[in-house]
Each structure stands twice: as structure tokens, then as C-alpha cells.
Amino acid sequence: MSQTSGSYVDGFVAAVPTANKQKYIDFAKTAARIFKKYGALQLVECWGDDVPEGKITSFPMAVQCQEDETVIFSWIIWPDSKTRNAGMAKVMSDPEMNMDSNSMPFDGKRVIYGGFDMIVNE
């Protein structure tokens, strides 16, 4: 699939308390269902395994990862930016997507995120 035809990706990096791995998986599965309900094609969640600390930059430094935390890397694929913009607004207002900082299994203040036009998908 080398032609992207307008696909759009939201990317995320965060630090999750290692003890909260199952809570994070449960949270991510719920989020995936909700994002797909509003137009996302796929949600991928990855648990850090080989994520070295850098000297100038690194994933752990970027999210201020502590010793008892693990870096996660995730992305959501949308068909296009228009679907993403409409879908993201619906996700954020969906009552099932409880974004209350007390209910999230990680510190939402240290999440790095952004939206990207897909330019190569080989």
C-alpha cells in the first residue's frame, strides 16, 4: 500500500506506571472501540521494551519517564484529516471516554501528541 490517498495519523508518546500495564491495556481497548466508532481505521498501542535513555533527546526524556514507568508509543490511523477532526471532537465529548485525570492510568500532562499527514506507507 504505497499510495496514502490522504490518510492521517495521530501519534502519542507517554510514560505509564509499569504497575498500571493492565489498566492501560484496558483503557486502550476502550479507547480503540470509541475511536473506531467515530471513524478511525486502526489504533495501535506499543509497550516499551528497548527504549534507551538519551544524552540529548529520547522518548524517556521527552515524557519525563521515571524509574517505575514504561514508555508507550501509539498511533491512530484515520482515512483523512476531515474524518479525524470530526471524529476527534466526538471522541472528546463521548461520556464513555472519561478523560478525567484521576481515571487515566498515566499522567496526561506528560503525553506528547500530534497529527500527521501520511506521506509514505510501504
Side-chain angles (χ1 to χ4, degrees):
M1 183 172 158
S2 60
Q3 189 66 24
T4 61
S5 65
S7 296
Y8 197 85
V9 176
D10 279 308
F12 305 87
V13 178
V16 177
T18 304
N20 286 354
K21 184 176 183 179
Q22 188 57 53
K23 287 180 184 176
Y24 185 80
I25 291 169
D26 296 342
F27 172 84
K29 286 182 177 183
T30 297
R33 183 176 43 74
I34 294 168
F35 276 99
K36 288 173 133 183
K37 178 168 101 175
Y38 296 119
L41 301 173
Q42 182 180 24
L43 184 138
V44 177
E45 293 284 349
C46 304
W47 190 260
D49 176 56
D50 182 14
V51 187
E53 181 74 40
K55 293 187 184 217
I56 298 173
T57 63
S58 69
F59 283 123
M61 290 170 68
V63 295
Q64 299 174 2
C65 191
Q66 305 299 309
E67 284 186 33
D68 63 342
E69 296 177 323
T70 300
V71 173
I72 61 95
F73 178 56
S74 63
W75 61 93
I76 304 167
I77 300 175
W78 301 89
D80 52 53
S81 62
K82 182 179 176 184
T83 303
R84 180 268 193 170
N85 292 341
M88 191 63 82
K90 290 175 183 173
V91 166
M92 292 303 143
S93 65
D94 189 305
E96 192 176 5
M97 190 66 179
N98 186 353
M99 297 302 281
D100 174 311
S101 62
N102 295 324
S103 65
M104 293 194 311
F106 59 95
D107 181 359
K109 294 178 195 144
R110 292 186 285 143
V111 175
I112 295 173
Y113 61 91
F116 302 85
D117 287 317
M118 191 182 296
I119 59 172
V120 174
N121 183 12
E122 293 291 327

